[in-house]
Amino acid sequence: MTVKLLTGNYTVAEAARLARVKVVAAFPITPQTTIVEKIAEMIEHGEMDAEMIHVESEHSALAAAYGAAAGGVRAFTATSSQGLLYMHEVVWWVAGSRIPLVMAIVTRAIGPPWNIHVSHEDIMDQRDTGWIISIAEDNQEVLDLTLQAFRISEDPRVYLPAMVGLDGFILSHTTMPVDVPSQEEVDSWLPPRSPGPYVIEPGSGVIMGNIPPDEDYMRMRKAMQTAMRNAERVIMEVEEEYYKLTGRRYGGLLECYRCSDAKYAVVLMGTWAGNAKEAADRLREKGYPVGVARIRYIRPFPSMLLREKLGGMKGVMVMDRSVSMGRGGPLFLEVAEALRSKPSMMSVIAGVGGVDVGVDDISSLVEKFIGKVEERGHVYIDEYWYGV
Amino acid sequence: MVNIKELPSKTLLMPGNAACPGCPETLGLRYVSMALGDKAVLVIPAGCSSVIQGIYPKSGIGFPILNIVFAAAASAASGLARAYKIRGLEDAQVVVWAGDGGTGDIGIQALSGAAERNENIIYICVDNEAYMNTGIQRSSLTPYGAWTTTTWTGKKEHKKDVPLIMIAHGAPYVATASVGFPTDFIEKLRRAASIKGLKYIHLHAPCPVGWRFDPSKTVEVAKLAVQTGIWVLYEYRGGVFRISPLSRPYAKKERRKPLKEYLKLQGRFRHLGEDDVKVLEAYIEERWKLYLNMEKTLGSKAT
């Protein structure tokens, strides 16, 4: 274990190297680019034993990584925003094929107008695809989630591809100290890729994807949902084993910060959870019993954990960094469903397109929300745009 | 030259597949099986062969197959080929089996990328000159004048010359072939299999359903395409371009059969007037002139 100073993107590259990824196929897009640059550099300098496929698009990036994974090797790619949308068709295809694969998503706004800054529209757009989707708070967690993603994706109870989200620029281009395990440590915990559910190779006779009867199609879809349910348990197990290796664990699908005695909670995901935790600390100094529930996995979604940890609270404020147009904050809607709207609830849409949201912003929002709940008893504010 | 008697009797294309009667793709797949056997792995994008495989959990095709989205065949094949390289599966042959739309239209970007990277794959475009699987819509490889369900009065543009585009990429091996001439196709497949890098074979595949001819005449129509000179068999290998022996006689215009013999068998050309036929005849002349000039320039030795 050594502490290295790494940007989020270099952390991703480091994790791919430590996981002994054998094929990387990627296409550059801001702010993902430095992942590709770093991996290309490591391969060309002999620090990473892998093949790099310099594809002509993201659609091909994921298709090539998919081909490699179907051919029996550990494969990896990374993208952002428009790139993720461009490969969207293949995103579904990979999940439906039940092929283990890991992809980093450096979250970024979607155009038009052009905007390269952090936003969660791109990653939230992937919720229905059948990928395991996690999202990090800091660079240490980027490393931990990426390494764990391989174990989770390759677990026979899961066999679903996994995305790891990290916020554009805020993590991707910010240097932080990261505790990096040694190759030997990672090897002792992450075995070489197993053949997986099947391998397409000469003489195997395996066909992936030919037309089934409709009932079999539906059965396969149901099996993916079962695998997602299994993943809830696998994620916990993998994290526990990783804890034994590194001494770090976060709480599986959901990280709860000062929730146990809290009457109010902020629910959100990604880097601004750090600001929310700081806001909670300050609010507690003022006497407000506030905690933070940070969503670490968007899929499988921590419905049970949310219900268990926040179900009995007086109020829950959900902060979304994206919008489901015509409906509202997607995270809010999922949390509201999970909590059956029992506590008072408020949906805050903020930080979209990189608009800065600091500790003071969050603490004043929470303070106002608490004030309303205390005044009226029960409130349900289903959409509040903050910052514009 | 491949001797038909020496070809393996075992085929990976079995009865019970879902092809239409007279399907040229099943002919082609049988020849791929004869040429490459158990070493081949197929990558198939959306198209007729997605259906021909038959209904899960069974299949009428004995090849391992990775089905893939329409636009990404060459990319998925690139990934497979790299995986085999890493795993030391030296004699594995990754074969893309894609239609004309999957090659020249929606798949051309991925193919261009794979060719530029010189991925170790054999890419076969099985060209039935329209989107047959969706019900006979025009592609960029539909020839001038042909009726399709999106060109009711005949297509106004000429066929896109994809093999030439592949030659422009500097691919180590580019060839044209026809389901009407299996020995030529098999020989080209075997040659392709012996070369490292991207091998492109463009297989002309007359479709009875889409071209409106009797299913018993697939081979006859395929042969007439070569004999009338509208389809030219050639090879481009290591920078050398040469007309294949089976097309060689038709370099001379007077040796070619009249184009009308080819056209009259096909309902898709039924509406053509004399002027349209002249346009196609001029196109044939122009193509031959180009190929013969290429042969002259690109250092072919006469065979």
Side-chain angles (χ1 to χ4, degrees), chain A residues 11-325:
Chain A
T11 306
V12 170
E14 195 71 0
R17 181 184 67 79
L18 286 167
R20 296 192 184 274
V21 164
K22 290 295 171 211
V23 170
V24 178
F27 184 82
I29 179 169
T30 305
Q32 157 265 32
T33 333
T34 52
I35 298 176
V36 190
E37 291 174 357
K38 191 67 189 170
I39 290 176
E41 185 191 329
M42 290 193 296
I43 292 173
E44 285 185 27
H45 290 172
E47 296 156 17
M48 183 172 172
D49 178 25
E51 291 276 313
M52 180 103 188
I53 311 182
H54 299 281
V55 285
E56 84 306 323
S57 73
E58 287 91 355
H59 194 275
S60 283
L62 188 54
Y66 167 68
V73 303
R74 192 169 277 155
F76 177 79
T77 185
T79 191
S80 289
S81 180
Q82 313 291 142
L84 182 54
L85 301 197
Y86 192 45
M87 66 165 64
H88 194 58
E89 178 191 24
V90 195
V91 170
W92 282 79
W93 195 269
V94 172
S97 301
R98 306 297 300 273
I99 280 289
L101 189 71
V102 174
M103 167 158 69
I105 305 299
V106 187
T107 61
R108 176 192 136 171
I110 293 164
W114 287 118
N115 181 335
I116 57 170
H117 296 131
V118 63
S119 225
H120 288 163
E121 284 99 340
D122 54 359
I123 200 161
M124 291 306 270
D125 191 49
Q126 311 304 315
R127 286 172 297 159
D128 296 345
T129 57
W131 284 60
I132 309 280
I133 307 173
S134 61
I135 183 160
E137 182 184 332
D138 58 27
N139 291 354
Q140 183 65 61
E141 200 182 12
V142 169
L143 181 99
D144 299 341
L145 281 174
T146 309
L147 285 173
Q148 290 174 38
F150 289 100
R151 277 283 301 268
I152 297 158
S153 176
E154 292 169 18
D155 191 293
R157 291 165 290 178
V158 179
Y159 283 149
L160 288 170
M163 290 179 195
V164 178
L166 61 150
D167 283 342
F169 293 105
I170 300 179
L171 292 187
S172 68
H173 288 64
T174 305
T175 302
M176 299 178 194
V178 179
D179 216 335
V180 182
S182 67
Q183 186 66 65
E184 292 69 34
E185 285 171 312
V186 174
D187 288 348
S188 73
W189 170 83
L190 180 66
R193 216 206 97 176
S194 70
Y198 55 86
V199 176
I200 306 283
E201 61 191 358
S204 68
V206 174
I207 295 183
M208 166 36 70
N210 64 319
I211 300 168
D214 294 345
E215 289 74 11
D216 281 324
Y217 176 91
M218 190 166 165
R219 235 169 250 134
M220 290 178 204
R221 282 313 198 233
K222 194 180 172 194
M224 288 170 73
Q225 174 70 344
T226 305
M228 272 289 177
R229 295 291 180 219
N230 295 342
E232 294 178 20
R233 188 166 64 251
V234 173
I235 287 165
M236 287 303 292
E237 288 174 15
V238 168
E239 197 183 32
E240 277 309 301
E241 277 193 48
Y242 190 80
Y243 168 69
K244 283 176 203 150
L245 182 80
T246 64
R248 280 190 303 278
R249 62 180 160 192
Y250 302 83
L253 305 179
L254 184 75
E255 184 202 35
C256 291
Y257 178 79
R258 303 185 80 164
C259 284
S260 53
D261 62 339
K263 299 265 187 300
Y264 292 93
V266 182
V267 182
L268 72 183
M269 60 186 208
T271 20
W272 63 358
N275 290 344
K277 289 173 184 173
E278 178 70 26
D281 289 346
R282 290 190 198 170
L283 288 163
R284 276 178 178 264
E285 279 167 25
K286 289 193 197 174
Y288 296 109
V290 177
V292 176
R294 179 171 67 88
I295 306 285
R296 297 184 68 239
Y297 283 84
I298 308 162
R299 289 292 181 269
F301 193 71
S303 303
M304 292 277 281
L305 277 171
L306 281 165
R307 205 139 56 227
E308 186 189 311
K309 307 278 185 190
L310 312 184
M313 288 194 182
K314 281 182 87 173
V316 172
M317 187 181 98
V318 184
M319 296 187 68
D320 265 288
R321 205 151 204 165
S322 67
V323 193
S324 174
M325 296 297 172

Side-chain angles (χ1 to χ4, degrees), chain A residues 60 71 200-201 206 208 211, chain B residues 56 65 75 82 84-85 87:
Chain A
S60 283
I200 306 283
E201 61 191 358
V206 174
M208 166 36 70
I211 300 168
Chain B
Y56 167 94
I65 300 173
S75 307
R82 299 290 187 107
Y84 297 158
K85 182 185 168 194
R87 294 178 53 210

